[in-house]
Amino acid sequence: MGVKRSLQSGGTLLGFLAQILMILSAATNYWIRYPGGHSGLWQECNGGICSNIPCQTMLAATGACMVLAATSAVVGLVMGLRILCHEGDLRGQITSATFFLCGLLLLIALTGYTVKNAWKNNVFFSWSYFSGWLALPFSILAGFCFLLADMMVQGTDAISGFPVCL
């Protein structure tokens, strides 16, 4: 397996890990903990009783960005798997741009949520929130893997006509 193939495989694996962490983060309601309960993007639990959170602008924006990030990660994974299986003639630049978009959406969602909750007393961020932050570098690294692999393909294509032995 060459370097290009290793980068593409690594990008697909990192994208898959980012996707799992994003789904885990968005679906669970342990973004913040406070005395007597915990809360997520969709539900708030107090004393063991969970209820839906009324619509708040920042929570709605955070939830929308998380869903869009997860969707773009799915698109990036499909494109990455197609590149690995040699189906279609997709370039790695589009796949890397998709993973970078996923990272940008994650950054927007998590920064907005952080700004909303960082200065509250007796509120602590919890594991759902941190799994969202952990998905961010995986998504960005997946984008870089596909970008580097595509740069190698373009470099090889550019010098393929020269009678040089590399």
Side-chain angles (χ1 to χ4, degrees):
M1 182 184 295
V3 174
K4 175 188 72 128
R5 199 84 164 132
S6 297
L7 283 170
Q8 290 170 340
S9 299
T12 303
L13 179 64
L14 287 168
F16 180 72
L17 290 173
Q19 177 69 38
I20 294 295
L21 289 168
M22 274 184 279
I23 290 172
L24 181 69
S25 176
T28 55
N29 55 357
Y30 284 90
W31 280 58
I32 55 174
R33 287 182 301 114
Y34 46 84
H38 54 88
S39 177
L41 296 178
W42 322 109
Q43 287 187 333
E44 184 174 37
C45 299
N46 291 315
I49 299 170
C50 296
S51 60
N52 291 336
I53 296 176
C55 188
Q56 297 173 12
T57 305
M58 187 52 70
L59 278 179
T62 300
C65 285
M66 288 297 289
V67 169
L68 288 172
T71 304
S72 67
V74 168
V75 171
L77 276 174
V78 169
M79 292 169 67
L81 289 171
R82 287 192 65 194
I83 288 173
L84 279 176
C85 297
H86 299 293
E87 293 180 11
D89 92 28
L90 291 172
R91 299 294 284 196
Q93 290 176 345
I94 300 169
T95 307
S96 66
T98 305
F99 281 117
F100 288 145
L101 174 66
C102 174
L104 178 65
L105 288 166
L106 273 172
L107 185 64
I108 291 168
L110 294 165
T111 302
Y113 193 84
T114 304
V115 167
K116 178 185 179 297
N117 292 300
W119 291 280
K120 290 182 179 178
N121 290 329
N122 293 327
V123 171
F124 306 98
F125 294 110
S126 192
W127 63 269
S128 296
Y129 171 79
F130 292 120
S131 67
W133 277 111
L134 188 57
L136 179 66
F138 286 162
S139 176
I140 292 171
L141 287 173
F144 275 119
C145 284
F146 280 105
L147 185 64
L148 290 173
D150 190 63
M151 289 171 60
M152 290 178 70
V153 169
Q154 288 179 3
T156 305
D157 290 346
I159 64 170
S160 64
F162 292 106
V164 180
C165 190
L166 296 176

